[in-house]
Amino acid sequence: MRVATLARRGLRLRPGAWPATAGRAMSSSSPPPHEELTHFGEQAVPKGDKEGLVRGVFSSVAGNYDVMNDLMSGGLHRLWKDEFVRMSGVGAISDYMRDRDSGANLAVLDLAGGTGDIAFRIARALGPAAFLEGEGRRPARLVVSDINENMLGVGQSRAAEAIGESLARELEWQAVDASSIPFDDGSFDLVTIAFGLRNVTEPERALAEVYRVLRPGGRFMCLEFTPAVTGFTPVVDTALDGVYRAYSFNVIPRIGQLVAGDAESYQYLVESIRKFPAPDALASMMREAGMEQVSYKALVPGVVAVHSGFRLD
């Protein structure tokens, strides 16, 4: 994606972050040497600018995000999200906590929750009874968060239709930067993030924040694309990865142009997948953040995986 295109959308970069030649592709211009760099898709950008650039992408795609997900995945993202929430076991855990009459109930934070896809599934799994306040018992809590208010607006507008008005009223919607979560230590039993961690400027910092806000025994779950096809034989991996890469880079941006009039934002989304750590590397990052019993399960080998880790102290 080009800086000039983002500028036409009204996105302001920090003064001095780019030289006068910034209208060319980012990779062809070099920021000042004192700037610490990170990746924005395939391009190197000053770390302080990535959040604003990503915000611009998701502000652009918010209105068509769910339709594009259907077109890009052939509807498979719905099955992946169903399995993700099923693996969390939130419904059974909430029932168990309520049946014990301990006064406790489940508290869930969905990061990068945007249009509500994961939160709606969690709300349905919990059911209306989980949100009832009884004598000596707290109701369940479900916080839907995203750094982009446009994405949150889309989710809020469709909540009642997706899960019914009574459940929709129980959701808390809050603008949250995953790298600086505005909740106290030990606030949540479950923290989820789906297809969002790769857009965070400092994922290590976000994982440390997740660990901080988890209660002892709490769980973190991440649904994310993997950067390259693996899990078969080397020859098959190479062949399938070539097909996957060709589809991602040649077809998805064109679909974005046809449906949303925005090929460049979807070009970034594709590039961000290729830059994201492989599952083993992400597992190591989770352990470094303090999580234990870290594991991952490929839902489609080399395409998408569910990552899980616990805070046990």
Side-chain angles (χ1 to χ4, degrees), residues 282-303:
L282 178 55
S284 295
M285 291 165 61
M286 291 168 62
R287 292 187 187 97
E288 289 171 6
M291 298 180 201
E292 300 180 58
Q293 296 185 9
V294 173
S295 63
Y296 64 86
K297 175 185 176 182
L299 300 185
V300 179
V303 177

Side-chain angles (χ1 to χ4, degrees), residues 1-3 6 13-14 17-19 22 24-32 35-50 53 201 268 271 275:
M1 181 177 292
R2 296 178 182 273
V3 174
L6 293 166
L13 298 181
R14 291 182 295 110
W18 293 99
R24 299 198 301 266
M26 291 182 188
S27 57
S28 65
S29 59
S30 299
E35 292 276 11
E36 186 176 358
L37 300 181
T38 188
H39 63 82
F40 176 70
E42 296 286 354
Q43 296 155 358
V45 301
K47 183 174 284 189
D49 286 336
K50 180 172 178 177
L53 294 169
T201 302
Y268 158 74
E271 292 175 355
K275 287 292 186 180

Side-chain angles (χ1 to χ4, degrees), residues 58 77 138 142 145 154 247 258 280 292 306:
F58 282 92
H77 76 102
R138 296 189 302 272
L142 177 51
S145 70
V154 171
Y247 174 77
L258 289 171
D280 286 336
E292 300 180 58
V306 174

Side-chain angles (χ1 to χ4, degrees), residues 119-187:
F120 298 158
R121 286 167 167 81
I122 291 174
R124 284 193 290 265
L126 290 172
F131 295 97
L132 297 177
E133 186 171 6
E135 185 175 346
R137 187 182 70 239
R138 296 189 302 272
R141 184 184 189 191
L142 177 51
V143 180
V144 194
S145 70
D146 200 293
I147 197 171
N148 190 296
E149 294 185 0
N150 290 328
M151 296 287 283
L152 286 173
V154 171
Q156 287 178 284
S157 70
R158 55 193 287 262
E161 181 179 353
I163 57 176
E165 290 187 4
S166 60
L167 273 179
R169 285 195 295 268
E170 303 296 342
L171 304 187
E172 300 176 37
W173 300 83
Q174 187 162 337
V176 170
D177 178 355
S179 297
S180 182
I181 300 174
F183 294 104
D184 293 337
D185 297 1
S187 293

Side-chain angles (χ1 to χ4, degrees), residues 237-260:
D237 285 347
T238 300
L240 290 178
D241 192 59
V243 173
Y244 179 39
R245 186 180 181 90
Y247 174 77
S248 298
F249 282 88
N250 297 320
V251 177
I252 290 177
R254 293 180 183 178
I255 294 175
Q257 183 62 42
L258 289 171
V259 174

